[in-house]
Amino acid sequence: MRRLGALLLKRSPRRSGTKGRWWAKAAPDARSFEEVVDPEIEALPAEARAKLAAIWEKRGGLELRVAAGFSALAVELFEHGAAPAVYEILGQAVRDEIHHAEISVEMAAKYRGAAPAWPVPAPLHIPPFAPTTGAMHATLYIIAMCCINETVACGVLEASLAQAKSPLVRAALSTILADEIDHARAGWAHLVSEYVTPEMKRALPKWLLRLHSAKLRELVEDDAPLPGEAFADHGMLTRARSRKVVRETLDDVIFPGFRRAGIDPSLAEKWAKEAFAERRGRSNVG
C-alpha cells in the first residue's frame, strides 16, 4: 500500500499505442485476441467459466457507467474550474474507462467461449450531495470518484493481481490498474489546487464521513460471499480479503492523502475504525 501511495504522488507519462493489444502481455505471439490461449481459463469446467464470464460482463457495464461519470464530472469542473493537469487526466479517463469496458467484454467472451457482447445502455446517476451546488458539488464529486472510488479500486486491483495466475487475467488487471492510478491522481491534484478554498476544506470533514460510510457500508455490513471468490487464481478476492485491502488503503493512502491536502479526515477515520473493528468482532463470534 505504501507503494501505491508513492505512485499517486507522481504523475506517470500517458501510455499510447498498445491499448488495443492489451492481451499481448499474456500472448505476445498472438495476432488477435481470438488467438490468445490461457491454460488457466481452458482448464476450468463450463459452470465455473460461465460464472466468471458473468462477473466480467457486469464489470463491462460498470466501466461504461464510470466513463459516463467522468464525463459528467469533467463538465462540472469545466464550469467551476480545475487545474490543466486535472482536465487532462479526466479527458483521458473517459477513453480509459471505455477501454476497460472493452477489456471486460473480451474477458467475458474468453471465459464463455463466445463472441464479445457489449453491455446494454444504462442510466447514469449523478450524486446530488444535497444541499451543495457549484464548486463544492464538483469537489465532492471528484473526491467520491477519484480520491475514494478510484484509489480503493487501485488497492483492490493490486491485491487481485498479486494472487492471479491466469496470464490473461493478469494482463487485464495490470492494464486497468495502470489507468486507475492516474484517475485517482486527478482527485488528489484537485484538492491541493486553488480551486478548493480554505472555506471548502473546513466544510469537508463531515462530508468525508458521509462519503466513506456510503461507499463502504455494504462491504463491512454484508457477510455474503463476493461473486467468484472461490476463484482466487483468476484474481477474485474473498470478502474478508477485500475488507483487509480496503482498510489498509484507507489507513495507508486515503486518510494520509486528505491530511496532505489540508483536510481533516478524523471523522471518517473514526467511522472506519469502528465499522471494520465491529466486523472483525462479529466474524470471531462462535
Side-chain angles (χ1 to χ4, degrees), residues 115-272:
W118 274 78
V120 298
L124 170 67
H125 170 69
I126 298 177
F129 304 123
T132 64
T133 57
M136 186 63 170
H137 186 279
T139 295
L140 291 173
Y141 202 175
I142 199 169
I143 288 174
M145 284 204 70
C146 299
C147 300
I148 300 177
N149 288 9
E150 295 293 279
T151 306
V152 165
C154 289
V156 170
L157 285 165
E158 275 195 334
S160 300
L161 183 59
Q163 70 181 40
K165 294 182 180 179
S166 158
L168 197 57
V169 169
R170 291 185 58 81
L173 295 177
S174 62
T175 301
I176 295 172
L177 174 59
D179 292 335
E180 302 291 52
I181 290 172
D182 227 19
H183 303 171
R185 288 187 183 113
W188 300 114
H190 187 67
L191 290 186
V192 298
S193 74
E194 63 182 301
Y195 298 97
V196 181
T197 65
E199 180 182 11
M200 292 165 68
K201 290 183 179 182
R202 288 192 292 270
L204 282 171
K206 291 183 179 179
W207 278 105
L208 295 186
L209 168 61
R210 290 177 59 177
L211 294 175
H212 284 82
S213 62
K215 166 67 180 175
L216 302 173
R217 182 179 294 114
E218 181 180 353
L219 177 66
V220 296
E221 291 185 357
D222 193 347
D223 283 328
L226 292 178
E229 67 173 36
F231 303 101
D233 290 352
H234 293 258
M236 299 296 168
L237 302 182
T238 65
R239 185 174 293 274
R241 177 61 177 151
S242 295
R243 287 177 183 142
K244 186 175 187 296
V245 168
V246 170
R247 182 62 199 274
E248 290 175 350
T249 305
L250 291 173
D251 291 344
D252 296 344
V253 183
I254 293 179
F255 294 146
F258 286 123
R259 283 202 166 84
R260 282 193 296 269
I263 301 165
D264 182 6
S266 297
L267 292 175
E269 283 180 313
K270 183 175 183 294
W271 171 83

Side-chain angles (χ1 to χ4, degrees), residues 96-119:
D96 289 342
E97 296 295 345
I98 293 173
H99 183 233
H100 298 174
E102 179 184 18
I103 291 172
S104 301
V105 164
E106 290 179 333
M107 286 298 302
K110 185 62 68 176
Y111 276 109
R112 199 177 294 283
W118 274 78

Side-chain angles (χ1 to χ4, degrees), residues 25 93 143 162 172 279:
K25 299 175 184 178
I143 288 174
R279 174 51 50 195

